[in-house]
Amino acid sequence: MTREVRAFAVTVLTLAALGVAAGLLWSGVSPRAPYTVTEDGTSVLADPSTQALIAADGWFAVITGGLGLLCGGVAWFAARRFMLPVLLGLCAGGVLGAALTLWIGSTFTIGAVMVEAAVVPGVKVVPGALKLTASGVLVSWPLLAVGLFGLLEGMHGYGEPQLRPPYGNLP
């Protein structure tokens, strides 16, 4: 296995492992929307004006976006020899990490904090499962990781022109 492939694989696997931890964190901090169980066994949103669904999306974006910034910065500082494989690994690993965060967070329930609902007394209210209502937040991890990586590389390369001398230093 070449060093470039190894750098890509290590980046993807590291971000996937972070995705598992991020999913558990998302499950622990996000509030659950309240649902009522009807007589036929189906669940209906107990309070249609609840903000818990939006809060779950927000917590997902904050957690995965923060990890994207962290991973992009660490990868740029650590991968000076293998820039392209690590950059591709950030993109693929960010997508995989976000998908694992969604799957782990919606599958495992940790610290089910349920918001209060205004329902009829005697009606059973249960916390709902975590899910994303804004699927666009799935790209926050890879987008911010690749964006910060590119920004740092652009700032680093700006002071060192490779093709021509700076303006004013012509012979």
Side-chain angles (χ1 to χ4, degrees):
M1 178 164 38
T2 66
R3 291 181 179 175
E4 289 83 9
V5 173
R6 187 178 318 136
F8 174 79
V10 166
T11 305
V12 171
L13 292 176
T14 301
L15 270 63
L18 287 173
V20 172
L24 294 174
L25 178 64
W26 181 53
S27 177
V29 300
S30 295
R32 306 286 200 268
Y35 285 85
T36 59
V37 180
T38 61
E39 294 175 2
D40 60 352
T42 60
S43 59
V44 179
L45 194 60
D47 187 6
S49 65
T50 185
Q51 298 295 317
L53 300 173
I54 297 170
D57 294 344
W59 276 111
F60 187 90
V62 166
I63 292 168
T64 58
L67 281 172
L69 290 173
L70 177 72
C71 292
V74 168
W76 185 80
F77 282 109
R80 298 305 307 157
R81 277 187 74 193
F82 307 109
M83 297 298 268
L84 185 60
V86 171
L87 181 63
L88 294 174
L90 279 176
C91 186
V95 170
L96 180 61
L100 281 172
T101 301
L102 176 62
W103 182 71
I104 294 288
S106 59
T107 302
F108 299 102
T109 303
I110 297 175
V113 177
M114 186 177 66
V115 297
E116 295 293 323
V119 294
V120 179
V123 175
K124 183 178 180 179
V125 177
V126 295
L130 275 181
K131 58 184 175 181
L132 287 180
T133 55
S135 58
V137 297
L138 281 169
V139 298
S140 62
W141 190 334
L143 183 66
L144 289 173
V146 170
L148 182 63
F149 190 92
L151 178 71
L152 290 173
E153 183 60 27
M155 288 174 26
H156 177 72
Y158 181 73
E160 303 170 6
Q162 301 291 325
L163 300 177
R164 59 182 168 78
Y167 180 75
N169 293 347
L170 297 176

